[in-house]
């Protein structure tokens, strides 16, 4: 839950007291959300002057405030929560979290994601508890080792940068501002790198870089001499960089295994700062030749805090990992199917799972199935008119499995059955996945 605005107001001793806004921060993006959520009950955040006057009035801190005011001072309006409503510009700004501590007033306005008329129960507004947590965190930071006004002014000057990290866009991430201070070197602020707007914080801890590579093989096998089989590898490299510093520089290098196929059609994340031209010009459209760039593939970058996809790529492989044969013969309301699958010897016979999906489009629901399977088990999804051959986590020692059977269909129902303009009559396909 976010905050719409935050204030720090000092109360200087004297006759009369002098109240001054020492710090204020507004969050325009949160304010737009408040306008949508609150609807007709929405009251905009005022300027510092009107807000200060209304808050001092509500807290009975105006020096000339000696009159009894029914709406504020009666016994039926005793405030025990430090949550107030301020009358500003003909409307009520609510809820305002505020308290006085050591001649400093800490105040904020939490976002309420509903209408404010009537007031919802305070316990239902999570932004109020987070508002208190934020203000207590600021109070602890200002009071820690504070000896004089000079140190107070120094800490107040540090607040904008600290809140940028601890409470970006009004959302509290860390109420301990000292943690944020430890990650920023204020002594050399004039020489440090500028914090980019897209990077709302920095990492503090043990440096580490995590990389994962996911590859999918797209293969189409027709078992026809006049139509060539096609296959291609599509890969994604995902990274998570936990590194200290505002703009750390990293170079990630990828190397191909022995006899590995070159990477092509490489698309990189915007955080990559430069790239070898040989990487960019490698395309799957061009014919493969010995001059194709085979790495190592180096990616200099300035990583974001979150996990990101470093690059996408394609690659050619000599043969598909699974070779398949699929035949279907139609006889009135029945079809006879034959499926042969063979795992290539170069592929490790160990998977998380392996399945073969056999959909039947433009037909009625499956009413009966007679089949014989050499390995695994077959599941029938009658309403979806499809079969799923669950192979499991590995092929048998022969590396080859077979399925044959007869599938009977009922009458068509356009509301439930799958439809495809291409898979008509004997045109069909089988899809494997692991």
């Amino acid at each position: 839950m976010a905050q719409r605005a935050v204030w720090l107001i000092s109360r200087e001793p004297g006759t009369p007291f002098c109240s001054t806004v020492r710090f204020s921060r507004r969050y325009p993006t949160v304010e737009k959300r408040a306008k949508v959520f609150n609807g007709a009950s929405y009251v905009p955040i005022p300027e510092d002057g009107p807000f200060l006057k209304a808050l001092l009035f509500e807290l009975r801190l105006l020096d000339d405030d000696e009159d009894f005011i029914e709406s504020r001072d009666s016994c039926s309006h005793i405030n025990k929560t430090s949550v107030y409503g301020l009358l500003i510009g003909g409307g009520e700004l609510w809820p305002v979290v505020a308290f006085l501590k050591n001649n400093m007033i800490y105040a904020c306005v939490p976002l309420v994601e509903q209408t404010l008329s009537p007031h919802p129960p305070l316990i239902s507004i999570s932004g109020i508890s987070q508002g208190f947590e934020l203000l207590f965190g600021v109070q602890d930071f200002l009071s820690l080792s504070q000896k004089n006004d000079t140190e107070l002014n120094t800490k107040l000057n540090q607040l904008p940068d600290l809140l940028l990290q601890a409470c970006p866009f009004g959302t509290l991430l860390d109420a301990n501002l000292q943690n944020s201070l430890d990650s920023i070197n204020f002594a050399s602020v004039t020489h440090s790198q500028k914090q980019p707007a897209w990077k709302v914080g920095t990492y503090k801890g043990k440096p580490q870089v995590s990389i994962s590579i996911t590859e999918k093989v797209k293969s189409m096998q027709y078992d026809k001499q006049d139509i060539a089989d096609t296959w291609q590898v599509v890969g994604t490299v995902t990274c998570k960089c936990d590194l200290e510093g505002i703009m750390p520089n990293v170079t990630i290098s990828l190397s191909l295994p022995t006899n590995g196929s070159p990477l092509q059609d490489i698309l990189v994340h915007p955080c990559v700062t430069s790239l070898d031209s040989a990487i960019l010009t490698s395309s799957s459209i061009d014919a493969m030749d010995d001059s194709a760039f085979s790495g190592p593939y180096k990616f200099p970058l300035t990583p974001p805090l979150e996990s990101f996809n470093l690059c996408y790529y394609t690659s050619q492989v000599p043969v598909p990992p699974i070779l398949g044969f699929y035949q279907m013969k139609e006889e009135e309301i029945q079809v006879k199917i034959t499926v042969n699958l063979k795992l290539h010897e170069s592929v490790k016979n160990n998977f998380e799972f392996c399945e073969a999906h056999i959909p039947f489009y433009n037909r009625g629901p499956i009413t009966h199935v007679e089949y014989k399977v050499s390995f695994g088990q077959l599941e029938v999804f009658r309403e979806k008119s499809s079969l799923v051959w669950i192979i499991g986590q590995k092929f048998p020692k022969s590396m080859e499995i077979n399925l044959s059977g007869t599938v009977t269909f009922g009458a068509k129902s356009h509301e439930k059955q799958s439809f495809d303009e291409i898979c008509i009559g004997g045109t069909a396909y089988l899809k494997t996945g692991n």
Side-chain angles (χ1 to χ4, degrees), residues 15-297:
T15 308
F17 271 84
C18 178
S19 299
T20 307
V21 176
R22 302 293 299 273
F23 173 84
S24 65
R25 167 64 61 86
R26 292 164 176 78
Y27 297 97
T29 55
V30 183
E31 192 66 13
K32 290 182 179 180
R33 293 165 58 195
K35 189 173 184 178
V36 173
F37 284 123
N38 301 160
S41 60
Y42 167 76
V43 175
I45 297 294
E47 296 296 326
D48 288 348
F51 176 83
L52 174 60
K53 185 176 181 179
L55 180 61
L56 294 177
F57 172 80
E58 188 65 28
L59 297 178
R60 288 192 62 90
L61 295 177
L62 291 175
D63 294 290
D64 57 351
D65 188 7
E66 298 180 354
D67 296 332
F68 175 84
I69 300 176
E70 176 72 23
S71 61
R72 182 194 65 184
D73 302 326
S74 69
C75 294
S76 61
H77 293 86
I78 296 177
N79 192 303
K80 297 181 180 180
T81 61
S82 296
V83 178
Y84 304 91
L86 306 186
L87 298 178
I88 297 177
E92 182 188 37
L93 181 64
W94 185 92
V96 177
V97 177
F99 59 86
L100 174 64
K101 186 72 173 180
N102 296 331
N103 292 324
M104 184 75 75
I105 302 175
Y106 301 84
C108 67
V109 180
L111 172 67
V112 181
E113 296 183 343
Q114 57 183 298
T115 182
L116 302 178
S117 180
H119 290 173
L122 296 183
I123 197 172
S124 68
I125 306 173
S126 59
I128 290 180
S129 59
Q130 293 192 12
F132 276 112
E133 188 177 4
L134 172 62
L135 296 180
F136 287 141
V138 174
Q139 176 199 334
D140 291 342
F141 172 71
L142 294 182
S143 60
L144 184 65
S145 301
Q146 180 185 324
K147 297 179 181 179
N148 50 49
D149 290 342
T150 302
E151 291 187 2
L152 175 62
N153 292 333
T154 300
K155 291 190 173 184
L156 287 173
N157 290 334
Q158 293 172 351
L159 274 181
D161 291 319
L162 292 178
L163 288 184
L164 180 66
Q165 183 167 329
C167 191
F169 303 107
T171 301
L172 182 63
L173 299 181
D174 187 359
N176 190 340
L177 299 190
Q178 191 64 37
N179 289 342
S180 301
L181 179 63
D182 292 340
S183 64
I184 302 175
N185 185 3
F186 284 98
S188 58
V189 66
T190 56
H191 304 288
S192 64
Q193 290 176 298
K194 184 178 179 180
Q195 182 91 358
W198 54 266
K199 194 169 186 178
V200 298
T202 56
Y203 173 78
K204 186 73 174 179
K206 181 180 179 181
Q208 58 182 2
V209 177
S210 302
I211 300 175
S212 66
I213 300 176
T214 304
E215 290 188 339
K216 294 182 179 180
V217 180
K218 295 183 177 180
S219 172
M220 289 182 287
Q221 303 170 41
Y222 302 95
D223 194 43
K224 291 185 178 181
Q225 294 183 353
D226 57 335
I227 303 179
D229 296 343
T230 62
W231 56 86
Q232 187 180 55
V233 174
V234 179
T236 304
V237 180
T238 304
C239 297
K240 178 71 166 68
C241 299
D242 295 324
L243 301 169
E244 295 185 346
I246 295 177
M247 297 286 283
N249 294 317
V250 186
T251 298
I252 294 177
S253 181
L254 303 178
S255 299
L256 296 175
T258 304
N259 299 325
S261 301
L263 306 186
Q264 300 172 316
D265 306 322
I266 297 177
L267 297 176
V268 299
H269 191 275
C271 71
V272 176
T273 55
S274 63
L275 208 58
D276 192 315
S277 59
I279 297 178
L280 293 174
T281 55
S282 181
S283 171
S284 60
I285 298 178
D286 301 329
M288 294 290 293
D289 56 48
D290 295 336
S291 63
F293 184 69
S294 57
Y297 303 87

